Amino acid sequence: MFGNLGKASKYLGQAARMMIGIPDYDNYVAHMKKNHPDKPVMTYEEFFKERQEARYGGKGKGGFRCC
Amino acid sequence: MAIPATILTGFLGSGKTTLLQHILKEQHGYKIAVIENEFGEVAVDTSLLGDRATNITTLSNGCICCSSQNELSDALYDLLDSIDDGSLSFDYLIIECTGMADPGPILQTFFSSEVLSERYLLDGVITLVDAVHAMQQLDQFSIAQAQVGYADRILITKTDVNPDTKALEQRLKQINIRAPQYKVIQGQIDLSLLFNIEGFILNDQLSSNTLIFNPVTPVQQAMAIQSFVIRLTKPLELSKISEFMDELLVTYGDQILRYKGLLAIQDDDRRLLFQGVQRLYSADWDKEWQADEKRESILVFIGLNLPEQEIRQGFDNL
């Protein structure tokens, strides 16, 4: 929870963490394990980056896709 | 600049409309917009209204009244559109929830998109509690408890009918130890009590003395929202507390309403602040501990059926 200090806004609405949320990552891992056991699973940091890019229109345009 | 917004909630008959009428009619100099939350209540033929139809009425003192049958986010976007095309301007937004609404999803709407997060600044949740019926409502409806649990301010109404509110005040404090309580008669309230609360801004308001519990008997209820305060004198190891908080959120994320903390971290002279709503949170370093301050971590959790003893034990083991 305190791994990314100094980067978030003081207002909860703009705090980056909310954009992904822990449950999202958990769901993603669970989904990958269940449906794609042969594929590599992103780390929390990779997942965070991916989600941010998806949201802010980076290279992952079109939103998060795992399959 | 972001538009400050307040969520006004409270059980059926708690006096929300009376308070709002007071706010909207008074010549207070503010231009306030009110969204009445009728969302999803009636199955109106939305094809007649269009996808994002919000009824907007401007009152004589400049206040604005909106009602929408659609999602709250639609109404929020509609207001932004009206500001952008110059047809509306206002200083403040109030969302009036229906009596049976859970403030959780309403609150989350403000954090649900980049645009809403940037252009609105959710200032606080104000919960009205009716001194005559609240005890019974709190016993019967977990939604009534949730409304109190999410609050930044609690307004106790109808104290003219029932002035003896001691037990109720205790009960409310048990549910939400953070929120100060005020008595309001006939909607008469100083607006400065309602505005600029900074309920979702990372700050150190926790260090106040309000977090002192009088020992009360735990509520024996199947669905009980309660708050508890954890104080730790031993400085915490950053990685350990970080991991433990993650674990708490993963395990109890659905049961936690709100939480705030001010932490003393090992080998660091700065205070660490965090706050969150359900699984959304923010955390950051604050100023350094002053020489005359007691380096003590204080955490407040408000949640539904949280295993307090187990969580306390977990913190003690850190």
Side-chain angles (χ1 to χ4, degrees), chain B residues 21-78:
Chain B
Q21 277 172 350
H22 167 71
I23 292 174
L24 288 176
K25 282 180 190 155
E26 196 87 339
Q27 292 299 334
H28 37 55
Y30 288 103
K31 280 178 88 176
I32 299 169
V34 172
I35 299 180
E36 286 170 353
N37 173 358
E38 300 164 16
F39 319 111
E41 276 217 322
V42 198
V44 176
D45 185 356
T46 46
S47 61
L48 291 178
L49 295 167
D51 269 355
R52 277 174 40 188
T54 301
N55 259 324
I56 301 174
T57 322
T58 305
L59 308 177
S60 56
N61 63 352
C63 288
I64 297 154
C65 205
C66 325
S67 63
S68 170
Q69 301 288 352
N70 291 336
E71 294 299 316
L72 173 60
S73 58
D74 291 340
L76 293 175
Y77 279 113
D78 282 348

Side-chain angles (χ1 to χ4, degrees), chain B residues 174-185:
Chain B
Q174 209 172 3
I175 297 173
N176 186 334
I177 192 169
R178 274 186 53 232
Q181 303 174 9
Y182 304 96
K183 289 179 186 168
V184 180
I185 295 172

Side-chain angles (χ1 to χ4, degrees), chain B residues 118-137:
Chain B
E118 262 169 27
R119 299 205 51 192
Y120 291 100
L121 192 147
L122 181 58
D123 182 56
V125 178
I126 315 264
T127 301
L128 276 72
V129 171
D130 156 5
V132 182
H133 303 104
M135 278 298 216
Q136 208 184 349
Q137 292 160 349

Side-chain angles (χ1 to χ4, degrees), chain B residues 242-256:
Chain B
S242 182
E243 214 172 281
F244 183 68
M245 286 297 298
D246 280 346
E247 216 176 281
L248 269 186
L249 292 184
V250 168
T251 318
Y252 303 112
D254 295 332
Q255 291 158 259
I256 299 181

Side-chain angles (χ1 to χ4, degrees), chain B residues 36-314:
Chain B
E36 286 170 353
N37 173 358
E38 300 164 16
F39 319 111
E41 276 217 322
V42 198
V44 176
D45 185 356
T46 46
S47 61
L48 291 178
L49 295 167
D51 269 355
R52 277 174 40 188
T54 301
N55 259 324
I56 301 174
T57 322
T58 305
L59 308 177
S60 56
N61 63 352
C63 288
I64 297 154
C65 205
C66 325
S67 63
S68 170
Q69 301 288 352
N70 291 336
E71 294 299 316
L72 173 60
S73 58
D74 291 340
L76 293 175
Y77 279 113
D78 282 348
L79 283 178
L80 290 178
D81 287 349
S82 309
I83 291 170
D84 294 345
D85 69 21
S87 58
L88 278 187
S89 78
F90 53 90
D91 315 310
Y92 221 96
L93 174 67
I94 298 177
I95 315 289
E96 183 196 8
C97 305
T98 56
M100 292 301 279
D102 178 352
I106 293 167
L107 215 127
Q108 301 268 7
T109 304
F110 281 90
F111 310 137
S112 65
S113 84
E114 198 186 352
V115 171
L116 296 181
S117 289
E118 262 169 27
R119 299 205 51 192
Y120 291 100
L121 192 147
L122 181 58
D123 182 56
V125 178
I126 315 264
T127 301
L128 276 72
V129 171
D130 156 5
V132 182
H133 303 104
M135 278 298 216
Q136 208 184 349
Q137 292 160 349
L138 291 168
D139 283 341
Q140 289 180 352
F141 302 99
S142 54
I143 210 87
Q145 294 181 31
Q147 291 168 347
V148 174
Y150 277 111
D152 291 289
R153 297 270 188 279
I154 297 171
L155 307 184
I156 305 178
T157 59
K158 303 188 186 170
T159 50
D160 48 339
V161 185
N162 178 16
D164 180 17
T165 55
K166 222 173 160 193
L168 177 62
E169 287 168 39
Q170 276 294 334
R171 177 80 188 275
L172 295 172
K173 197 163 185 188
Q174 209 172 3
I175 297 173
N176 186 334
I177 192 169
R178 274 186 53 232
Q181 303 174 9
Y182 304 96
K183 289 179 186 168
V184 180
I185 295 172
Q186 292 300 320
Q188 301 289 326
I189 189 166
D190 178 357
L191 291 183
S192 64
L193 280 178
L194 306 183
F195 295 166
N196 304 317
I197 292 173
E198 298 196 338
F200 299 90
I201 300 279
L202 206 55
N203 56 30
D204 62 354
Q205 280 175 12
L206 265 187
S207 43
S208 71
N209 292 325
T210 54
L211 299 175
I212 296 167
F213 256 134
N214 291 327
V216 279
T217 338
V219 176
Q220 299 299 327
Q221 219 171 313
M223 303 280 277
I225 291 172
Q226 300 204 46
S227 49
F228 57 88
V229 180
I230 289 176
R231 290 172 187 268
L232 303 162
T233 43
K234 192 178 80 171
L236 300 158
E237 208 180 299
L238 186 61
S239 61
K240 276 193 184 167
I241 176 77
S242 182
E243 214 172 281
F244 183 68
M245 286 297 298
D246 280 346
E247 216 176 281
L248 269 186
L249 292 184
V250 168
T251 318
Y252 303 112
D254 295 332
Q255 291 158 259
I256 299 181
L257 275 58
R258 293 185 71 170
Y259 45 103
K260 285 203 174 195
L262 190 163
L263 305 176
I265 301 293
Q266 216 175 68
D267 306 321
D268 205 301
D269 288 334
R270 294 167 296 175
R271 312 183 307 175
L272 179 60
L273 303 179
F274 71 86
Q275 68 141 331
V277 174
Q278 293 168 316
R279 286 184 170 103
L280 312 185
Y281 61 82
S282 62
D284 207 353
W285 294 110
D286 188 41
K287 59 187 182 212
E288 290 188 359
W289 292 95
Q290 301 302 297
D292 57 344
E293 272 179 321
K294 193 174 163 195
R295 285 200 186 199
E296 182 189 45
S297 299
I298 306 174
L299 304 90
V300 183
F301 292 92
I302 301 175
L304 172 71
N305 296 338
L306 288 178
E308 181 180 339
Q309 287 318 317
E310 200 184 306
I311 293 172
R312 280 187 185 285
Q313 191 61 52

Side-chain angles (χ1 to χ4, degrees), chain A residues 27-63:
Chain A
N27 289 341
Y28 160 73
V29 174
H31 171 89
M32 291 303 282
K33 277 187 182 157
K34 192 176 166 214
N35 301 299
H36 316 282
D38 51 329
K39 288 191 183 153
V41 179
M42 285 187 274
T43 63
Y44 185 84
E45 281 67 32
E46 288 167 343
F47 180 79
F48 180 82
K49 205 165 161 255
E50 160 74 37
R51 292 254 67 185
Q52 284 224 311
E53 275 170 357
R55 183 171 281 269
Y56 295 118
K59 69 178 166 89
K61 252 185 181 160

